[in-house]
Amino acid sequence: MSCALALAAALVATDPAAAATPAPPPASLATEPLYAEIIARAEALHDEVAAFRGAGVKGAPKPWPGLAGVKAQAAALSELDMKGHRDLAARAVDGDLKCILKGISEDLSRKIEQLETATTGADQDAALSDLIYLLDDNSGVLLAPLKPPV
C-alpha cells in the first residue's frame, strides 16, 4: 500500500467528532510548589483566626496577643499571592485567577487593618469573619480546576 493510500485510509477511519472534542480542563495549580505553599499558609492562618474568633465577640474587642504574628503571616501570604499573580500573568494561564490573587493580596492588609482598628466587639467580629472568608477564598481558588483557554 502506498503512503497516500495509507494516509487516506487513516483519515477515513478517524472520527472527526473526536478530533473536535476540546481537551479536558487543565489541573489546578495546587500541585505546584508556590501555590501549594499559598494554600497551606492560607489554611493555617484561617484556622488560627477562626480559633480566636470562636463563637463571636460581644462588648469590647477581645485582646489578641497573637495579632502581631497573624499580621506578619498575612503580610507573607500577601507577598506570595502577589508572586502568584505575577507568575500567572507571565504564563498567561488564567486571567481571572491572576486578578483574584492580586485582589486577595491587596485585601489581606485591609482586613488586618480593620481588625487592628476595631473599637467594638461587633467590629472585631466582623473583621475576623471577613478575614476568615478571604482566607477561604485564597485556598479555594487555587484548589479549583483552571479554566480552559478560550
Side-chain angles (χ1 to χ4, degrees):
M1 177 183 280
S2 74
C3 290
L5 286 175
L7 177 60
L11 290 174
V12 169
T14 303
D15 179 8
T21 304
S28 77
L29 293 168
T31 58
E32 295 184 23
L34 169 63
Y35 302 101
E37 184 176 354
I38 291 171
I39 292 166
R41 286 181 182 232
E43 289 176 346
L45 192 53
H46 168 277
D47 292 347
E48 188 171 346
V49 174
F52 175 75
R53 181 176 184 229
V57 184
K58 309 254 188 287
K62 292 194 292 189
W64 191 2
L67 182 56
V70 166
K71 185 176 179 178
Q73 291 174 58
L77 179 58
S78 175
E79 286 298 318
L80 287 174
D81 283 322
M82 191 55 76
K83 186 175 179 180
H85 161 76
R86 288 189 297 271
D87 174 61
L88 293 176
R91 291 169 33 180
V93 172
D94 184 318
D96 290 342
L97 184 55
K98 77 176 181 199
C99 293
I100 291 168
L101 288 177
K102 182 178 181 182
I104 289 172
S105 175
E106 294 168 349
D107 285 349
L108 276 168
S109 62
R110 289 186 196 118
K111 298 303 177 192
I112 294 293
E113 184 180 330
Q114 289 174 346
L115 187 54
E116 290 179 311
T117 60
T119 57
T120 68
D123 290 344
Q124 185 185 43
D125 189 58
L128 289 166
S129 177
D130 288 350
L131 185 55
I132 288 167
Y133 283 119
L134 185 62
L135 292 166
D136 275 342
D137 288 348
N138 202 172
S139 57
V141 296
L142 292 172
L143 291 167
L146 291 173
K147 295 179 187 172
V150 180

